[in-house]
Amino acid sequence: MTLPIDAVLPDVVAALATHRRAVLEAPPGAGKTTGVPLALLDAPWLADRQILLLEPRRLAARAAARRMASLRGERVGETIGFAVRGETAVGPRTRVLVVTEGVLTRRLQDDPALDGVGAVLFDEFHERSLIADTGLALVLGATSVLRDDLAVLVMSATLDGARVAALLGDAPRITSAGRAFPVTTRFAPPRPDARLEDHVARTVREALADESGSILVFLPGAGEIRRVEERLAGTLPSKVDLYPLHGSLPPAQQDAAIAPSPPGRRKVVLATNVAETSLTIDGVRVVVDSGFARVPRFSPRTGMTRLETVRVTRASADQRRGRAGRTEPGVCIRCWHAAEDAGLLPDARAEILDADLAPLVLDLAAAGFTDPAELPWLDAPPPAAWQQGRDLLQLLGALDAHGRLTAHGTAMSALGTAPRLAHMLVRARDHGPASLARAAALAALLEERDPMRGAGGPPPADVRLRLDALEREGDAALLGGLHVRGDAEEHGDRPDRVADREQRDAGGDECRLVH
């Protein structure tokens, strides 16, 4: 099957062969995620070295690897492999390794030259996550001296390509067309007194009656998905299957949601923004967009990052709309007024501008950088936030007066969790197994969603109740298998970044609505 990206693949290969830097702008459905790595495999200048493809989410990483392997008639783990948190498929002949973004930071900390790697591809860079920005800065900074032969390609569907090209040293910009399938946009605003879940469920039932094909529904988080699922259960036609899709689901359930429906059946997939990019769900020709998304917000008062539910940006709405036109003409139903459409913000702010930068300071110190000005940034870390993060790490004993890692900081960095929690865990370890066990349970409770939150109303705000329940239960069931890992590199993500990303995807009822 011919894809739009095929027309520009020779240009991409040539640009990287000549300049070792390039920017690829390709709309949803062009085929860049799978087409580009496969086209680079036989490039002579790679000399059989590995290609790293960075994906923002585990689901997208697994799906991309499986799709590329199937196109080559192979199993995952042969020429094409992946490494994500909790699951790896890599073999001695793996040439394309699809990873989530955190693994690159760890790899650069241990091996700044990226020995054995010939190209690093940043996919869906428009999301501008803190860890993607960090990875690009480290690659450009650490390899400018050590590896002038390393190829770097930044890919995105909605991106300020001129700024990125300038950051890459006036790199060539290559633009691909998208698919030609038209998508009709309709607006279905809710009544003033309607709950979001009620309105979305009603819109889905109407779309099933009016349109053919499967339906992909975008909702802010797992709480809304659960409530829409409850409203739709038992009301759908017998030949329609209903699937949730969010970042905290086990891989098998995620894979079931994106798998093709059996002949004669349709599906409704209730998804967070995990389905917004780098993913094709076969059979989907209708998108129902709630118009909301989860975003992290750092509070200097509490020193913690919380989630808020906000209106989607124009770029995000367009990405969601594009899911309907991947394989045939489609329909996008937006659950807001047409007049509101023009008021959407064009793009999301880069996470580095609003985030807690203590993890970034720790990451860079582990890579040997004490000053962010030593690295090239698309958006530099704000000085006040950087200094706040550095002050915190020095208070915790992770950095010395010059900003270099101490022995305590090295131990904290190895854990890969949020700095405050890492400090607690390292100190607890010094007080014996019982203290460490309780600290690990507390870290899991603080990083993940509240296990006591359910349909019965807000639980008491007492962490001791949760710790006591964990000790009584004596197993992982209460936390749904959540735990703090130290072997983050092997599994493809730093756990603190996983918590941030997966909470953003699957965030719960504690998030407040911001219009």
PDB file of all heavy atoms in Angstrom, residues 30-31 58 83 102 114 205 242 248 256 291 295 353 385 393 407 428 453 475 493 500 504:
ATOM      1  N   ALA A  30       0.208  10.250   7.264  1.00  0.00           N
ATOM      2  CA  ALA A  30       1.204  10.233   6.196  1.00  0.00           C
ATOM      3  C   ALA A  30       2.044   8.966   6.209  1.00  0.00           C
ATOM      4  O   ALA A  30       2.558   8.545   5.182  1.00  0.00           O
ATOM      5  CB  ALA A  30       2.112  11.457   6.310  1.00  0.00           C
ATOM      6  N   GLY A  31       2.212   8.361   7.387  1.00  0.00           N
ATOM      7  CA  GLY A  31       2.990   7.135   7.490  1.00  0.00           C
ATOM      8  C   GLY A  31       4.416   7.327   7.936  1.00  0.00           C
ATOM      9  O   GLY A  31       5.250   6.440   7.785  1.00  0.00           O
ATOM     10  N   ARG A  58       3.947   4.349  25.561  1.00  0.00           N
ATOM     11  CA  ARG A  58       4.256   2.927  25.428  1.00  0.00           C
ATOM     12  C   ARG A  58       3.386   2.247  24.379  1.00  0.00           C
ATOM     13  O   ARG A  58       3.852   1.408  23.613  1.00  0.00           O
ATOM     14  CB  ARG A  58       4.077   2.236  26.782  1.00  0.00           C
ATOM     15  CG  ARG A  58       5.146   2.588  27.797  1.00  0.00           C
ATOM     16  CD  ARG A  58       4.860   1.972  29.140  1.00  0.00           C
ATOM     17  NE  ARG A  58       3.838   2.731  29.862  1.00  0.00           N
ATOM     18  CZ  ARG A  58       3.221   2.296  30.952  1.00  0.00           C
ATOM     19  NH1 ARG A  58       3.479   1.094  31.419  1.00  0.00           N
ATOM     20  NH2 ARG A  58       2.333   3.048  31.559  1.00  0.00           N
ATOM     21  N   ALA A  83      11.452  -1.255  23.455  1.00  0.00           N
ATOM     22  CA  ALA A  83      11.727  -1.302  24.888  1.00  0.00           C
ATOM     23  C   ALA A  83      10.855  -0.262  25.566  1.00  0.00           C
ATOM     24  O   ALA A  83      11.016   0.938  25.329  1.00  0.00           O
ATOM     25  CB  ALA A  83      13.201  -1.029  25.169  1.00  0.00           C
ATOM     26  N   GLY A 102      11.998   8.323  27.910  1.00  0.00           N
ATOM     27  CA  GLY A 102      12.869   8.293  29.072  1.00  0.00           C
ATOM     28  C   GLY A 102      14.094   7.434  28.896  1.00  0.00           C
ATOM     29  O   GLY A 102      15.130   7.678  29.529  1.00  0.00           O
ATOM     30  N   LEU A 114      26.592   7.536  22.543  1.00  0.00           N
ATOM     31  CA  LEU A 114      25.624   6.621  21.925  1.00  0.00           C
ATOM     32  C   LEU A 114      26.311   5.657  20.958  1.00  0.00           C
ATOM     33  O   LEU A 114      25.961   5.546  19.778  1.00  0.00           O
ATOM     34  CB  LEU A 114      24.516   7.401  21.198  1.00  0.00           C
ATOM     35  CG  LEU A 114      23.512   8.155  22.073  1.00  0.00           C
ATOM     36  CD1 LEU A 114      22.510   8.897  21.195  1.00  0.00           C
ATOM     37  CD2 LEU A 114      22.796   7.217  23.026  1.00  0.00           C
ATOM     38  N   ARG A 205     -24.242   7.238  20.730  1.00  0.00           N
ATOM     39  CA  ARG A 205     -25.395   6.439  20.280  1.00  0.00           C
ATOM     40  C   ARG A 205     -25.977   6.999  18.982  1.00  0.00           C
ATOM     41  O   ARG A 205     -26.356   6.242  18.080  1.00  0.00           O
ATOM     42  CB  ARG A 205     -26.448   6.390  21.388  1.00  0.00           C
ATOM     43  CG  ARG A 205     -26.087   5.455  22.541  1.00  0.00           C
ATOM     44  CD  ARG A 205     -27.252   5.250  23.484  1.00  0.00           C
ATOM     45  NE  ARG A 205     -27.517   6.434  24.280  1.00  0.00           N
ATOM     46  CZ  ARG A 205     -27.029   6.658  25.494  1.00  0.00           C
ATOM     47  NH1 ARG A 205     -26.224   5.750  26.051  1.00  0.00           N
ATOM     48  NH2 ARG A 205     -27.313   7.756  26.161  1.00  0.00           N
ATOM     49  N   LEU A 242     -17.393  -2.580  22.905  1.00  0.00           N
ATOM     50  CA  LEU A 242     -17.007  -1.370  23.631  1.00  0.00           C
ATOM     51  C   LEU A 242     -15.678  -1.613  24.339  1.00  0.00           C
ATOM     52  O   LEU A 242     -15.525  -2.595  25.077  1.00  0.00           O
ATOM     53  CB  LEU A 242     -18.095  -1.006  24.650  1.00  0.00           C
ATOM     54  CG  LEU A 242     -17.928   0.277  25.469  1.00  0.00           C
ATOM     55  CD1 LEU A 242     -17.890   1.489  24.567  1.00  0.00           C
ATOM     56  CD2 LEU A 242     -19.078   0.399  26.477  1.00  0.00           C
ATOM     57  N   SER A 248      -3.046   3.514  31.747  1.00  0.00           N
ATOM     58  CA  SER A 248      -2.864   2.667  32.918  1.00  0.00           C
ATOM     59  C   SER A 248      -3.430   1.266  32.725  1.00  0.00           C
ATOM     60  O   SER A 248      -3.348   0.440  33.630  1.00  0.00           O
ATOM     61  CB  SER A 248      -3.512   3.323  34.150  1.00  0.00           C
ATOM     62  OG  SER A 248      -4.892   3.523  33.943  1.00  0.00           O
ATOM     63  N   ALA A 256      -6.046  -5.090  22.640  1.00  0.00           N
ATOM     64  CA  ALA A 256      -7.384  -5.509  22.217  1.00  0.00           C
ATOM     65  C   ALA A 256      -8.187  -4.330  21.690  1.00  0.00           C
ATOM     66  O   ALA A 256      -8.968  -4.461  20.741  1.00  0.00           O
ATOM     67  CB  ALA A 256      -8.122  -6.178  23.386  1.00  0.00           C
ATOM     68  N   GLY A 291     -13.452  17.402  23.583  1.00  0.00           N
ATOM     69  CA  GLY A 291     -12.896  18.751  23.613  1.00  0.00           C
ATOM     70  C   GLY A 291     -12.060  19.069  24.830  1.00  0.00           C
ATOM     71  O   GLY A 291     -11.651  20.223  25.006  1.00  0.00           O
ATOM     72  N   VAL A 295      -3.732  18.157  31.563  1.00  0.00           N
ATOM     73  CA  VAL A 295      -2.395  18.749  31.468  1.00  0.00           C
ATOM     74  C   VAL A 295      -1.820  18.859  32.880  1.00  0.00           C
ATOM     75  O   VAL A 295      -2.547  19.085  33.847  1.00  0.00           O
ATOM     76  CB  VAL A 295      -2.426  20.142  30.814  1.00  0.00           C
ATOM     77  CG1 VAL A 295      -2.905  20.058  29.382  1.00  0.00           C
ATOM     78  CG2 VAL A 295      -3.290  21.113  31.608  1.00  0.00           C
ATOM     79  N   LEU A 353       8.290  24.994  30.259  1.00  0.00           N
ATOM     80  CA  LEU A 353       8.012  26.355  30.716  1.00  0.00           C
ATOM     81  C   LEU A 353       7.171  26.398  31.978  1.00  0.00           C
ATOM     82  O   LEU A 353       7.121  27.434  32.653  1.00  0.00           O
ATOM     83  CB  LEU A 353       7.312  27.140  29.606  1.00  0.00           C
ATOM     84  CG  LEU A 353       8.084  27.282  28.298  1.00  0.00           C
ATOM     85  CD1 LEU A 353       7.254  28.021  27.260  1.00  0.00           C
ATOM     86  CD2 LEU A 353       9.413  27.990  28.532  1.00  0.00           C
ATOM     87  N   ALA A 385      12.726  28.820  37.750  1.00  0.00           N
ATOM     88  CA  ALA A 385      12.326  27.431  37.999  1.00  0.00           C
ATOM     89  C   ALA A 385      13.555  26.534  38.107  1.00  0.00           C
ATOM     90  O   ALA A 385      13.591  25.596  38.913  1.00  0.00           O
ATOM     91  CB  ALA A 385      11.392  26.942  36.887  1.00  0.00           C
ATOM     92  N   LEU A 393      17.321  20.343  45.313  1.00  0.00           N
ATOM     93  CA  LEU A 393      18.238  19.205  45.279  1.00  0.00           C
ATOM     94  C   LEU A 393      19.429  19.416  46.217  1.00  0.00           C
ATOM     95  O   LEU A 393      19.922  18.455  46.822  1.00  0.00           O
ATOM     96  CB  LEU A 393      18.717  18.971  43.846  1.00  0.00           C
ATOM     97  CG  LEU A 393      17.636  18.488  42.881  1.00  0.00           C
ATOM     98  CD1 LEU A 393      18.169  18.458  41.456  1.00  0.00           C
ATOM     99  CD2 LEU A 393      17.124  17.108  43.276  1.00  0.00           C
ATOM    100  N   ALA A 407      27.176  11.623  46.314  1.00  0.00           N
ATOM    101  CA  ALA A 407      26.903  10.183  46.379  1.00  0.00           C
ATOM    102  C   ALA A 407      25.418   9.943  46.622  1.00  0.00           C
ATOM    103  O   ALA A 407      24.809   9.026  46.044  1.00  0.00           O
ATOM    104  CB  ALA A 407      27.753   9.533  47.470  1.00  0.00           C
ATOM    105  N   ALA A 428      15.378   6.005  53.741  1.00  0.00           N
ATOM    106  CA  ALA A 428      14.696   4.882  54.398  1.00  0.00           C
ATOM    107  C   ALA A 428      15.523   3.610  54.318  1.00  0.00           C
ATOM    108  O   ALA A 428      15.533   2.804  55.250  1.00  0.00           O
ATOM    109  CB  ALA A 428      13.325   4.671  53.758  1.00  0.00           C
ATOM    110  N   ARG A 453      -9.989   5.858  45.823  1.00  0.00           N
ATOM    111  CA  ARG A 453     -10.968   6.686  45.144  1.00  0.00           C
ATOM    112  C   ARG A 453     -11.845   5.816  44.269  1.00  0.00           C
ATOM    113  O   ARG A 453     -11.370   5.024  43.479  1.00  0.00           O
ATOM    114  CB  ARG A 453     -10.296   7.746  44.270  1.00  0.00           C
ATOM    115  CG  ARG A 453     -11.290   8.689  43.601  1.00  0.00           C
ATOM    116  CD  ARG A 453     -10.556   9.809  42.868  1.00  0.00           C
ATOM    117  NE  ARG A 453      -9.872  10.684  43.809  1.00  0.00           N
ATOM    118  CZ  ARG A 453     -10.466  11.676  44.437  1.00  0.00           C
ATOM    119  NH1 ARG A 453     -11.745  11.925  44.262  1.00  0.00           N
ATOM    120  NH2 ARG A 453      -9.780  12.433  45.273  1.00  0.00           N
ATOM    121  N   ASP A 475      -0.487  -7.465  49.682  1.00  0.00           N
ATOM    122  CA  ASP A 475      -0.214  -7.784  48.281  1.00  0.00           C
ATOM    123  C   ASP A 475      -0.343  -6.521  47.454  1.00  0.00           C
ATOM    124  O   ASP A 475      -0.622  -5.446  47.981  1.00  0.00           O
ATOM    125  CB  ASP A 475      -1.151  -8.885  47.742  1.00  0.00           C
ATOM    126  CG  ASP A 475      -2.621  -8.511  47.875  1.00  0.00           C
ATOM    127  OD1 ASP A 475      -2.934  -7.314  47.737  1.00  0.00           O
ATOM    128  OD2 ASP A 475      -3.454  -9.407  48.097  1.00  0.00           O
ATOM    129  N   ASP A 493      11.254   3.496  30.400  1.00  0.00           N
ATOM    130  CA  ASP A 493      10.801   4.787  30.898  1.00  0.00           C
ATOM    131  C   ASP A 493      11.327   4.983  32.304  1.00  0.00           C
ATOM    132  O   ASP A 493      11.448   4.048  33.075  1.00  0.00           O
ATOM    133  CB  ASP A 493       9.271   4.862  30.979  1.00  0.00           C
ATOM    134  CG  ASP A 493       8.664   5.517  29.767  1.00  0.00           C
ATOM    135  OD1 ASP A 493       9.229   6.498  29.287  1.00  0.00           O
ATOM    136  OD2 ASP A 493       7.621   5.031  29.315  1.00  0.00           O
ATOM    137  N   ASP A 500       4.003  10.817  35.386  1.00  0.00           N
ATOM    138  CA  ASP A 500       3.502  12.063  34.814  1.00  0.00           C
ATOM    139  C   ASP A 500       2.687  11.799  33.557  1.00  0.00           C
ATOM    140  O   ASP A 500       1.579  12.295  33.393  1.00  0.00           O
ATOM    141  CB  ASP A 500       4.669  12.996  34.465  1.00  0.00           C
ATOM    142  CG  ASP A 500       5.358  13.564  35.690  1.00  0.00           C
ATOM    143  OD1 ASP A 500       4.769  13.459  36.773  1.00  0.00           O
ATOM    144  OD2 ASP A 500       6.469  14.085  35.552  1.00  0.00           O
ATOM    145  N   ARG A 504      -1.396  11.817  33.125  1.00  0.00           N
ATOM    146  CA  ARG A 504      -1.982  12.748  32.167  1.00  0.00           C
ATOM    147  C   ARG A 504      -2.973  12.013  31.275  1.00  0.00           C
ATOM    148  O   ARG A 504      -4.027  12.520  30.933  1.00  0.00           O
ATOM    149  CB  ARG A 504      -0.878  13.367  31.315  1.00  0.00           C
ATOM    150  CG  ARG A 504      -1.324  14.517  30.457  1.00  0.00           C
ATOM    151  CD  ARG A 504      -0.222  15.026  29.590  1.00  0.00           C
ATOM    152  NE  ARG A 504       1.027  15.168  30.310  1.00  0.00           N
ATOM    153  CZ  ARG A 504       2.178  15.458  29.716  1.00  0.00           C
ATOM    154  NH1 ARG A 504       2.226  15.615  28.421  1.00  0.00           N
ATOM    155  NH2 ARG A 504       3.284  15.570  30.419  1.00  0.00           N
TER     156      ARG A 504
END
